[in-house]
Amino acid sequence: MLYLYLKAIHIIFVVSWMAGLFYIVRLFIYHVEANDRSELERITLQRQFEIMQHKLWYIITTPAMAISVLAGIAMIWVNPVLLSMNWMLVKLAFVLGLLVYHFLCQNIMNKLKQGIFTWSSTQLRLWNELATIFLVAIVFTVILKSAVDWIYGLTGLVVFSAVIMSAVKIYKYYRLKRK
């Protein structure tokens, strides 16, 4: 029964973590695009985005990440046989990638706060989709486990990634066309 409680906690906080990751990059995009505004608007908007980013990151996203990871570790501690399953090792590799993504987002946030703009809004839109790719990969790995040959899974992930990246490029084309 403990395992099921841990699993429920894990799922709840993964949802919160992912929501935070999706929204933080959206705030980065708005933060960068504020540079195209008048100086007064830019300063006002960027200050507000810094406040919003800080609160989202330290009150929601990072605590949700920590609780997700701790609940996941506790699930493995309660049921260590999970580590002998190939799908779990694949999932953990994707989770490691998501953790790297998380801390790279923190680095972007800190640079924006310092007024260092190294990413364009288009690059950030593409970056935002990487979290989606990790989410899809993790969910499909957990749900399908060993039901799908890894080559089909990898092919599907590559095709899904290409579709998402193409959608971002198409959106940019139409967004610029409207201006």
Side-chain angles (χ1 to χ4, degrees):
M1 196 65 167
L2 175 61
Y3 180 81
L4 294 177
Y5 282 108
L6 292 169
K7 190 174 188 179
I9 290 167
H10 181 69
I11 292 168
I12 291 164
F13 284 95
V14 165
V15 169
S16 299
W17 181 24
M18 292 306 302
L21 288 176
F22 290 142
Y23 190 49
I24 195 75
V25 180
R26 179 58 46 194
L27 289 175
F28 296 164
I29 292 166
Y30 298 150
H31 194 140
V32 167
E33 289 179 347
N35 282 325
D36 298 334
R37 304 292 186 103
S38 69
E39 185 176 354
L40 180 59
E41 281 182 299
R42 178 186 58 78
I43 291 168
T44 303
L45 287 169
Q46 288 180 342
R47 282 185 186 152
Q48 184 61 42
F49 291 137
E50 287 172 15
I51 292 166
M52 293 168 71
Q53 289 163 12
H54 182 86
K55 288 181 178 181
L56 173 64
W57 196 252
Y58 292 106
I59 296 172
I60 298 170
T61 310
T62 298
M65 177 271 300
I67 294 169
S68 296
V69 169
L70 290 172
I73 291 168
M75 287 167 51
I76 291 171
W77 180 74
V78 168
N79 190 6
V81 73
L82 289 170
L83 287 176
S84 67
M85 298 176 184
N86 289 337
W87 68 267
M88 178 56 79
L89 300 178
V90 172
K91 176 198 175 188
L92 292 175
F94 285 130
V95 170
L96 181 62
L98 192 58
L99 286 165
V100 169
Y101 178 90
H102 177 98
F103 289 107
L104 288 172
C105 284
Q106 185 170 338
N107 187 42
I108 293 168
M109 182 181 70
N110 291 335
K111 284 185 178 180
L112 289 174
K113 187 175 182 179
Q114 296 169 6
I116 301 169
F117 297 89
T118 55
W119 295 67
S120 71
S121 63
T122 300
Q123 290 171 322
L124 286 167
R125 280 182 172 83
L126 289 169
W127 179 250
N128 198 33
E129 297 312 322
L130 186 56
T132 303
I133 293 165
F134 277 122
L135 176 63
V136 168
I138 291 167
V139 169
F140 272 88
T141 300
V142 171
I143 298 301
L144 297 177
K145 294 181 176 50
S146 301
V148 175
D149 188 328
W150 71 271
I151 196 76
Y152 292 122
L154 184 59
T155 303
L157 189 59
V158 168
V159 168
F160 177 73
S161 300
V163 167
I164 288 223
M165 298 305 168
S166 297
V168 170
K169 292 290 187 178
I170 291 167
Y171 172 74
K172 178 184 178 185
Y173 171 78
Y174 284 109
R175 190 171 52 90
L176 293 176
K177 191 175 175 181
R178 283 187 295 178
K179 282 187 177 181

